[in-house]
């Protein structure tokens, strides 16, 4: 009888994660596609384009082996002119999502940057839902709480301005 109870529990949890995934997709379609429809990107035109994008581009080249540069040394082109290891450590080395940029060709770096923003947000919801599943909340409470947590004002703001600041929301729901 025990395996049957566990299989029901797994199906129940799978259903919650599927509902969350659909809700996540719908909210993203309703919000994050607006800039794309207007011909814009999710890359902020201040720090995003001046710091985050160039560092991620260089990190992509290093990961793909197409760069003459390494993670160490000094660069006047990254950050505000600093040692590269410190700059990379602040922006990309500690962010596991940044390593996924190596899967994108250089011509799709902008798309990769934006998809990684959405992936981080999706994982925010997954982390919260995993936490909520350990509590005795109702299914509706879990789903509503997950959507509110995932798309809080902080996460909307940070996702486009400083996407790596979303990591604490994943680690500490």
């Amino acid at each position: 009888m025990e395996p049957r109870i566990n299989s029901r529990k797994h199906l129940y949890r799978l259903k919650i994660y599927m509902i969350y995934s659909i809700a996540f997709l719908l909210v993203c379609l309703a919000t994050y596609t607006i800039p794309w429809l207007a011909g814009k990107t999710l890359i902020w035109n201040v720090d995003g384009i001046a710091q985050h994008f160039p560092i991620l581009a260089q990190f992509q080249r290093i990961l793909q082996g197409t760069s003459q540069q390494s993670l160490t040394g000094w660069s006047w082109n990254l950050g505000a002119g600093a040692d590269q290891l410190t700059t990379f450590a602040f922006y990309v080395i500690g962010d596991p999502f940044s390593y996924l940029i190596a899967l994108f060709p250089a011509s799709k770096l902008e798309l990769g940057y934006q998809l990684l923003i959405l992936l981080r947000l999706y994982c925010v919801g997954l982390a919260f839902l995993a936490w909520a599943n350990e509590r005795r909340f109702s299914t509706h409470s879990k789903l509503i709480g997950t959507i509110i947590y995932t798309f809080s004002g902080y996460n909307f703001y940070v996702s486009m301005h400083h996407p790596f600041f979303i990591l604490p929301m994943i680690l500490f729901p």
Side-chain angles (χ1 to χ4, degrees):
M1 189 184 303
E2 186 65 33
R4 187 176 184 138
I5 292 171
N6 282 337
S7 83
R8 268 195 224 148
K9 189 184 246 186
H10 291 307
L11 285 175
Y12 166 76
R13 286 196 177 169
L14 181 63
K15 181 180 174 185
I16 290 176
Y17 284 100
M18 288 181 67
I19 293 170
Y20 162 67
S21 297
I22 291 167
F24 178 85
L25 184 63
L26 292 174
V27 172
C28 283
L29 287 173
T31 56
Y32 285 95
T33 57
I34 293 170
W36 287 327
L37 293 173
K40 307 287 184 188
T41 69
L42 299 181
I43 303 171
W44 188 31
N45 64 355
V46 180
D47 285 350
I49 202 66
Q51 296 174 32
H52 308 156
F53 190 75
I55 288 168
L56 192 63
Q58 184 60 35
F59 191 59
Q60 180 192 46
R61 289 189 290 273
I62 291 169
L63 291 174
Q64 292 176 343
T66 60
S67 175
Q68 301 297 329
Q69 194 171 355
S70 70
L71 289 177
T72 59
W74 186 272
S75 174
W76 292 107
N77 300 323
L78 298 175
D83 70 292
Q84 293 174 167
L85 186 57
T86 301
T87 303
F88 283 116
F90 181 75
Y91 289 102
V92 293
I93 290 176
D95 180 0
F97 295 96
S98 295
Y99 293 87
L100 297 174
I101 201 65
L103 302 174
F104 292 87
S107 63
K108 299 292 183 191
L109 180 65
E110 186 177 310
L111 175 66
Y113 182 96
Q114 296 174 87
L115 289 176
L116 290 177
I117 289 173
L118 297 178
L119 178 62
R120 284 181 185 98
L121 273 177
Y122 182 71
C123 289
V124 164
L126 291 178
F128 185 87
L129 194 52
W131 175 83
N133 278 329
E134 298 299 319
R135 304 316 183 264
R136 294 184 183 259
F137 300 139
S138 70
T139 302
H140 289 94
S141 296
K142 290 176 187 178
L143 290 169
I144 290 169
T146 300
I147 293 299
I148 289 171
Y149 184 78
T150 303
F151 295 105
S152 67
Y154 173 81
N155 286 341
F156 265 125
Y157 175 81
V158 166
S159 65
M160 287 186 273
H161 290 88
H162 304 284
F164 45 86
F165 287 172
I166 296 175
L167 290 178
M169 302 297 285
I170 298 169
L171 298 173
F172 307 111

